[in-house]
Amino acid sequence: MPDSPPKLEFAEPPSPEALLPGYGLWPWWVGAALLVMVILAIIVIKRRKKKPIDPAAARHTALQEALSSLRETRAENARDAAIQGSLILRRYLSVAAGDPALFETHEEFISRHDSLQALTPDARGATEVAFGKLAALKYAPELPHADAAAVLTESTSLLETIHGGFAA
C-alpha cells in the first residue's frame, strides 16, 4: 500500500472578530443627524418667541392702515360708506385697543360694559355716538340720502378722535 493515510493537522480556529458584522461609519452619521435636528429645533423655538410689541407703534401702524383704507374707499351710497367706514374703524379698534369690536354686532358692542376701556371718557362717548350714526345708516330700511363722502369724512374724523383718545 503505497498510499499512506493523510496526516491530520490541527488548524488555528478563526478569530471571533471575523464573525462580527462590520459597522462602518453609519452610527456616527445617525448621531450627527440627531444632533443637527436638536440644534435646529432649539433655533426654531427661540425664534418663535414673540418679542414684546410696543402698543404705541402698533396703534400708529394700525392708524396708517386705517387712514389709507378710508382714503381708498369708494362707496356708491351712504349705506356702503357706513359699512366700509364701520369695518375699517372696528378693525383699527381690534388692533389698537385689543377690543373685539370687529367680531361683534352693533348691539353686542354697545351692550358690553367693558368696551373701549383703553379710551378716555370723551373719546369713548364720541365713539359710541359715531358708531350709533353709522349703525343707523347701515341698518336703515331705505337707502339713506346722506352723502357717501361725508360719511367717510366723519369716519376719518372719528378715527383721529379715537387715536388721540387713548388713556396714558
Side-chain angles (χ1 to χ4, degrees):
M1 290 209 232
D3 283 324
S4 66
K7 290 185 177 180
L8 293 175
E9 291 183 23
F10 291 106
E12 286 288 321
S15 170
E17 285 85 21
L19 298 175
L20 294 175
Y23 287 106
L25 293 177
W26 73 266
W28 291 103
W29 285 107
V30 170
L34 288 174
L35 181 66
V36 168
M37 288 184 353
V38 167
I39 291 172
L40 287 175
I42 290 171
I43 291 171
V44 167
I45 289 171
K46 285 193 177 212
R47 284 194 178 178
R48 279 195 177 172
K49 288 184 180 176
K50 292 186 178 182
K51 297 176 183 167
I53 298 173
D54 180 25
R59 277 192 291 248
H60 181 70
T61 303
L63 174 68
Q64 296 306 319
E65 290 175 5
L67 285 172
S68 174
S69 296
L70 283 170
R71 269 184 260 152
E72 294 171 4
T73 299
R74 301 290 176 248
E76 295 179 16
N77 55 49
R79 178 176 288 154
D80 289 341
I83 291 169
Q84 292 299 318
S86 176
L87 178 65
I88 292 167
L89 289 168
R90 288 172 185 269
R91 189 176 303 132
Y92 170 78
L93 283 172
S94 71
V95 172
D99 196 86
L102 180 61
F103 310 105
E104 296 176 331
T105 64
H106 179 70
E107 289 77 18
E108 290 171 335
F109 177 70
I110 60 173
S111 66
R112 191 166 39 93
H113 296 292
D114 65 339
S115 64
L116 306 177
Q117 291 299 315
L119 298 178
T120 61
D122 293 337
R124 193 177 316 127
T127 303
E128 289 172 1
V129 169
F131 271 125
K133 288 180 184 177
L134 289 173
L137 291 172
K138 290 190 308 188
Y139 304 124
E142 304 227 352
L143 196 62
H145 294 292
D147 183 30
V151 172
L152 291 173
T153 302
E154 288 176 18
S155 296
T156 304
S157 174
L158 175 61
L159 177 64
E160 292 167 352
T161 300
I162 294 171
H163 185 71
F166 280 96

